[in-house]
Amino acid sequence: MLSVVGQEHLDRCGRDNGFLKRYKDVCKAYDAYMKPGETWFSKQYPELDDQQFAYFSAEFGLHECLPIYSGGLGILSGDHCKSASDLGIPLVGVGLLYNQGYFQQHINGEGWQEAIYARLDFSQLPLTRALDASGKEVIVSVEIASRVTHALVWKVQVGRMPVYLLDTDIPLNTEEDRRLSSQLYGGDRDMRISQEIVLGMGGVRALNALGIKAAVFHMNEGHSAFLSLERIRTLMERESLSFQAALETVSASSVFTTHTPVPAGHDAFSHEMMDRCFAHYMASTGVSRTQLFNLGANKAEYGSFGMTVLALHASRYANGVSRLHGEVSRELWRDMWEGFADQEMPISHITNGVHLGSWLAPALRATFKEVGGDRWYTHQTDLKAWDKAVRTVPDARLWSVHQELKNEMIAHVRERLRRRLRRLGRSNAAIRDVDRFLYPNALTIGFARRFATYKRATLFFRDLERVLRLMSNVERPVQIVFAGKAHPADDPGKEFIRNVHEIASDYRFARHVVMVEGYDINLARHLVSGVDIWMNNPRRPLEACGTSGQKAAANGVINFSVLDGWWDEGYDGENGWTIGERRDYNDQEEQDRVDASSLYDTLENEIIPLYYGHNQEGVPEGWVSKMKDSIVSVAPRFNTDRMLMDYTRNLYVPASASGRALDANHGRAARELASWKDRVRTLWHQVRIEASGLQRTDVSVGESMQFDAMVHLGSLEPSDVAIELFVASIHRGQLGPATVIEMQGDPAAGSRDDYRQYTARFTPESNGDYAFGVRAVPSNPLLVSRRDMGLVRWA
């Protein structure tokens, strides 16, 4: 900003007392933020004031001026960092600094997306070179195949927390390696694996060079999973640990978040590529090819090395990003824990949220603060505070603020449309005609997201005649704004963009359908606060979360979505509308037909009548009531303050504790655990179980049931094994929530010398069918979970 403001203007500001007062107020508020007396983290975990958590991500969406993000994953990473700063969580971010960022999107005259790459000017960006304790620039190196690649470390200060970004475009590198940090998700497989080695292994070395001793390493998606290999190498060298012992410490202190619900979306590399890139690693550490490859091996990906598989093998704490996505992820990776029920897979869920400080429109924030104080913002998970702040705003006032935001959105979209037409050399008349695009008083739908095919951007146009009738209704018109990019290599996604552009260019839909190019944070900020309806119609259950709908809801924009991702748990019957049903389909054509029909019916019969139901003052009271329901039901639950609290309580703090326990005394406990696991794996085949009481069919509610098991442990000790009674309700052939009861052993009651008797009781509390099972699983106080080893023996 300072570089484009003239010095004369700055001099005038320096003589303006009003400006100087505001300047000082801003500085005072900034200082108070940066040096608070206490934070949420310092109050909740004062004993962890010396801890650091490292958060690795391939992209960070902090602001549009630093375009090193492509979509939802990057925006989430940016919001994650911002809330960590707000809450005082001792987090540091690690990523790559792409000197061309993600591509700039142009849509040509025929509607095809063109990817434009322009080099970023680092001198104009909020970047400084990271310095070590002696004040020197930090440059790290990693071995890739037969070469050494170097990376300069940059720093972005995000409030109280830093994000460190690695840059390979330095003179020390070959031209090939200088290009590694040129583009996000660009290049071929060789570039991808090289980028991920720099991110994961180079990122760990960067933290070490900066003197940052992280207690927990969080991998946001599998791109950074090679960090586990670097941490293993470090522990093997520093503490003389075996590979398995080092893996125990690394996995106990690692967190992995998966975002992708389809197998094809997870990175995997061929064994030949792994051999070539990690020959030096294996030779220098003594880690065998089998040991290394087993970390990335999965039955579903035979012959390849999976990054998600590596992350799951090297993390004892893993999560999906919504409740439904957690279920999908557990089913997707069930082969890694054969013998356990899907619900027992060690992948939990923490539903994503959004950083309200970044996404809540300032006009709304000021309105809520004026009416209800600011507790709703300082304590963002306080439902009562939100209820007070939102519901006491007069309907007319909230509607007026929304209309202001809508006008701002329309002005912003029109300006982008004009810029595109000027670039294409269109006539002045065509450029002036843009002022007739989008009507401020028309029901406006927003659809903005990646143009991946599963998101079905063109579903709205399945029945063009019906859409035309909706849009051309003079008394109750409907209009829709589209925005979003397709990956440069995704031809079907680019075809969707061309299809939308073709319809927007059709004179019958002119001014009612708009496709805006160059989707970025700035455009998103206008759309999520300025449209009336936020529509999302992915092919269920392929939407991991879909946080754009959370941004919209916080701004009073009402969701109209398939029950997928976060909306599957966020929809309460009053705060928006659904498209289709809560079910999965085997036939995609049937799914599209049913969902499109639902979309049109709901628009015609519910949404449009409610929107145009104005009172005498011109305020649609029913609509505004639903806006308030949307804000109050979504904002306190689906914000990143709540999300970071969940990560801290459920993942970071437990991972820190288990990691420290194994690392203490130069890894003594890790050595013991690795040795114990090796012994249990070797002897596990000796375990046999015979159980009774599993076939009861005549039990009444409240009647206690006894289950007995005779267990042969072979050479294992009783303390090595837990015998469990597994109980689950059955509904329509599917297992419901399970209860696991540890059975108690009685060695004196054994009927044979080499068997021990175990007993447990269960009392059903509701009617219905139940499934019962008795099983043996490894047990050790040092295990994070009894499922860690993937070993189970059922009766």
Side-chain angles (χ1 to χ4, degrees):
M1 183 196 74
L2 293 178
S3 66
V4 298
V5 178
Q7 187 60 43
E8 182 181 342
H9 184 70
L10 289 174
D11 290 342
R12 282 200 306 272
C13 289
R15 295 189 296 270
D16 183 335
N17 290 331
F19 181 91
L20 291 176
K21 181 181 183 304
R22 187 173 182 192
Y23 172 79
K24 291 175 182 176
D25 288 344
V26 169
C27 289
K28 183 178 179 181
Y30 174 76
D31 290 341
Y33 175 87
M34 292 299 290
K35 297 179 180 179
E38 59 182 10
T39 64
W40 174 83
F41 186 84
S42 69
K43 287 189 289 185
Q44 295 292 320
Y45 302 101
E47 74 282 5
L48 300 181
D49 60 350
D50 61 339
Q51 296 287 289
Q52 290 258 259
F53 309 136
Y55 179 78
F56 282 64
S57 183
E59 46 178 303
F60 285 90
L62 297 163
H63 188 268
E64 59 267 26
C65 75
L66 189 60
I68 56 171
Y69 60 93
S70 70
L73 177 70
I75 302 301
L76 175 76
S77 299
D79 284 9
H80 193 110
C81 294
K82 293 172 187 178
S83 272
S85 171
D86 293 344
L87 297 171
I89 298 170
L91 196 75
V92 296
V94 180
L96 296 178
L97 180 57
Y98 309 96
N99 57 49
Q100 296 178 22
Y102 198 49
F103 72 94
Q104 298 176 28
Q105 181 196 48
H106 284 177
I107 299 176
N108 67 22
E110 288 71 46
W112 289 106
Q113 171 183 285
E114 297 177 343
I116 308 300
Y117 292 95
R119 189 178 179 86
L120 302 176
D121 182 355
F122 290 175
S123 69
Q124 298 295 306
L125 296 177
L127 297 165
T128 57
R129 298 195 179 199
L131 305 177
D132 63 18
S134 63
K136 295 180 180 179
E137 294 179 350
V138 176
I139 296 178
V140 297
S141 62
V142 292
E143 299 78 17
I144 304 175
S146 59
R147 68 189 193 275
V148 176
T149 302
H150 307 274
L152 175 68
V153 183
W154 295 81
K155 177 182 176 182
V156 181
Q157 191 67 33
V158 184
R160 302 184 188 114
M161 65 153 290
V163 174
Y164 296 103
L165 303 172
L166 280 67
D167 170 23
T168 65
D169 188 18
I170 57 177
L172 286 171
N173 286 329
T174 64
E175 284 301 315
E176 177 187 7
D177 282 345
R178 295 188 72 157
R179 288 193 294 269
L180 291 182
S181 61
S182 59
Q183 298 173 9
L184 173 61
Y185 304 141
D188 56 16
R189 302 301 295 167
D190 281 325
M191 175 174 275
R192 175 63 67 88
I193 194 172
S194 298
Q195 285 180 326
E196 296 187 356
I197 290 171
V198 172
L199 171 61
M201 304 183 78
V204 173
R205 294 183 184 186
L207 293 181
N208 290 336
L210 290 163
I212 297 172
K213 298 186 184 334
V216 174
F217 286 75
H218 183 176
M219 294 169 273
N220 189 43
E221 207 34 291
H223 309 112
S224 60
F226 287 138
L227 71 82
S228 59
L229 301 183
E230 176 62 17
R231 295 185 64 206
I232 288 170
R233 182 195 65 78
T234 301
L235 285 170
M236 291 176 70
E237 291 181 0
R238 190 186 73 202
E239 305 293 355
S240 298
L241 296 182
S242 68
F243 170 80
Q244 290 296 340
L247 175 61
E248 294 301 335
T249 298
V250 167
S251 58
S253 55
S254 292
V255 172
F256 170 58
T257 299
T258 178
H259 295 258
T260 309
V262 291
H266 297 263
D267 278 349
F269 302 109
S270 69
H271 285 177
E272 183 275 331
M273 187 174 287
M274 288 294 296
D275 274 326
R276 188 172 71 252
C277 290
F278 285 90
H280 179 274
Y281 180 87
M282 289 184 279
S284 63
T285 61
V287 174
S288 71
R289 187 175 187 269
T290 300
Q291 288 174 317
L292 179 63
F293 281 31
N294 281 346
L295 285 179
N298 183 45
K299 290 181 180 178
E301 298 177 343
Y302 182 76
S304 65
F305 187 96
M307 295 299 283
T308 297
V309 179
L310 169 61
L312 288 170
H313 278 148
S315 303
R316 294 291 173 256
Y317 301 89
N319 69 287
V321 291
S322 69
R323 182 177 61 198
L324 180 58
H325 180 240
E327 296 174 7
V328 171
S329 297
R330 288 189 287 274
E331 182 175 353
L332 184 63
W333 301 107
R334 64 193 305 177
D335 286 349
M336 294 183 63
W337 292 276
E338 276 189 301
F340 292 96
D342 284 358
Q343 60 190 280
E344 295 185 284
M345 300 297 101
I347 303 175
S348 62
H349 83 273
I350 292 179
T351 303
N352 285 344
V354 297
H355 185 252
L356 295 174
S358 298
W359 296 105
L360 184 63
L364 277 174
R365 181 173 172 176
T367 299
F368 297 156
K369 183 175 181 179
E370 178 185 332
V371 173
D374 63 358
R375 181 174 173 82
W376 60 272
Y377 187 76
T378 59
H379 296 73
Q380 292 181 11
T381 60
D382 187 335
L383 177 59
K384 290 183 179 179
W386 276 97
D387 195 77
K388 174 186 175 184
V390 174
R391 297 201 188 278
T392 52
V393 176
D395 287 356
R397 172 80 177 276
L398 183 59
W399 183 245
S400 174
V401 172
H402 176 67
Q403 290 301 102
E404 291 173 12
L405 294 170
K406 189 174 185 179
N407 285 325
E408 290 177 11
M409 179 274 296
I410 291 174
H412 185 80
V413 167
R414 286 174 177 173
E415 179 54 33
R416 286 185 177 238
L417 294 174
R418 291 189 199 99
R419 287 205 301 263
R420 174 175 177 267
L421 293 178
R422 292 190 193 103
R423 194 189 74 249
L424 295 174
R426 297 294 191 260
S427 67
N428 289 333
I431 294 172
R432 285 194 300 272
D433 191 50
V434 168
D435 290 336
R436 301 169 63 190
F437 283 55
L438 302 178
Y439 302 99
N441 295 322
L443 173 65
T444 305
I445 300 171
F447 184 98
R449 51 194 33 88
R450 281 190 305 117
F451 266 65
T453 52
Y454 78 86
K455 292 179 183 284
R456 298 188 296 180
T458 57
L459 183 70
F460 182 74
F461 300 117
R462 184 177 172 89
D463 186 339
L464 278 177
E465 295 304 317
R466 195 168 180 182
V467 172
L468 184 60
R469 288 197 301 272
L470 287 171
M471 291 189 159
S472 60
N473 187 316
V474 177
E475 295 182 354
R476 304 193 305 184
V478 176
Q479 57 197 14
I480 185 167
V481 181
F482 285 90
K485 299 177 179 179
H487 187 279
D490 182 5
D491 290 334
K494 288 187 284 188
E495 177 67 28
F496 273 21
I497 292 175
R498 193 196 66 78
N499 290 341
V500 173
H501 175 270
E502 186 176 39
I503 293 169
S505 302
D506 187 322
Y507 74 93
R508 297 175 299 169
F509 298 96
R511 306 183 185 94
H512 292 276
V513 179
V514 170
M515 178 72 206
V516 192
E517 69 179 9
Y519 189 39
D520 63 2
I521 289 176
N522 192 21
L523 178 56
R525 195 182 292 119
H526 283 84
L527 292 177
V528 298
S529 63
V531 299
D532 301 303
I533 287 288
W534 196 257
M535 189 173 73
N536 189 22
N537 43 250
R539 198 178 297 285
R540 189 180 193 273
L542 301 183
E543 183 78 285
C545 187
T547 53
S548 61
Q550 300 169 352
K551 302 177 181 82
N555 283 286
V557 173
I558 306 173
N559 275 271
F560 179 34
S561 176
V562 168
L563 287 166
D564 198 4
W566 80 276
W567 190 235
D568 186 63
E569 61 196 271
Y571 173 66
D572 65 9
E574 302 294 333
N575 58 355
W577 294 274
T578 65
I579 298 172
E581 303 171 349
R582 187 177 270 117
R583 56 168 288 197
D584 300 333
Y585 294 82
N586 294 320
D587 185 333
Q588 292 188 356
E589 175 62 24
E590 180 191 7
Q591 186 176 13
D592 290 351
R593 178 182 57 78
V594 170
D595 286 352
S597 177
S598 170
L599 190 159
Y600 297 138
D601 289 346
T602 304
L603 260 178
E604 291 174 343
N605 301 324
E606 298 183 45
I607 295 176
I608 294 173
L610 187 67
Y611 182 83
Y612 286 102
H614 293 70
N615 62 18
Q616 293 181 343
E617 287 74 40
V619 177
E621 293 175 333
W623 188 270
V624 174
S625 176
K626 212 167 191 70
M627 288 173 64
K628 291 181 176 180
D629 288 340
S630 176
I631 298 169
V632 171
S633 65
V634 173
R637 292 178 59 200
F638 299 98
N639 60 71
T640 42
D641 275 17
R642 186 274 310 155
M643 184 185 86
L644 263 294
M645 291 176 185
D646 286 349
Y647 271 105
T648 301
R649 283 189 291 250
N650 301 336
L651 301 177
Y652 292 165
V653 171
S656 174
S658 56
R660 282 182 296 170
L662 292 182
D663 193 38
N665 298 316
H666 303 287
R668 178 179 176 180
R671 299 173 205 268
E672 293 174 355
L673 182 58
S675 176
W676 176 85
K677 281 188 173 183
D678 184 60
R679 180 172 61 86
V680 170
R681 286 193 183 96
T682 301
L683 300 174
W684 190 251
H685 69 280
Q686 298 179 2
V687 177
R688 295 190 294 274
I689 309 175
E690 300 171 6
S692 61
L694 301 179
Q695 304 300 321
R696 293 282 298 280
T697 59
D698 57 347
V699 180
S700 302
V701 171
E703 179 184 347
S704 178
M705 305 169 63
Q706 179 168 319
F707 298 85
D708 297 306
M710 300 300 295
V711 182
H712 174 76
L713 296 177
S715 300
L716 291 173
E717 298 294 329
S719 60
D720 294 330
V721 180
I723 308 301
E724 298 176 337
L725 171 65
F726 177 92
V727 184
S729 59
I730 302 175
H731 181 65
R732 295 181 179 177
Q734 300 294 318
L735 291 182
T739 298
V740 176
I741 302 170
E742 184 160 354
M743 303 181 76
Q744 301 303 310
D746 183 2
S751 61
R752 296 195 297 273
D753 292 340
D754 56 350
Y755 277 76
R756 295 170 58 88
Q757 180 172 321
Y758 289 79
T759 303
R761 303 192 73 85
F762 172 74
T763 303
E765 296 179 353
S766 60
N767 289 318
D769 293 332
Y770 286 84
F772 300 99
V774 172
R775 67 190 184 189
V777 291
S779 177
N780 188 303
L782 293 173
L783 289 175
V784 172
S785 164
R786 289 175 177 172
R787 297 165 302 226
D788 284 357
M789 298 178 66
L791 296 177
V792 61
R793 180 83 68 215
W794 290 88

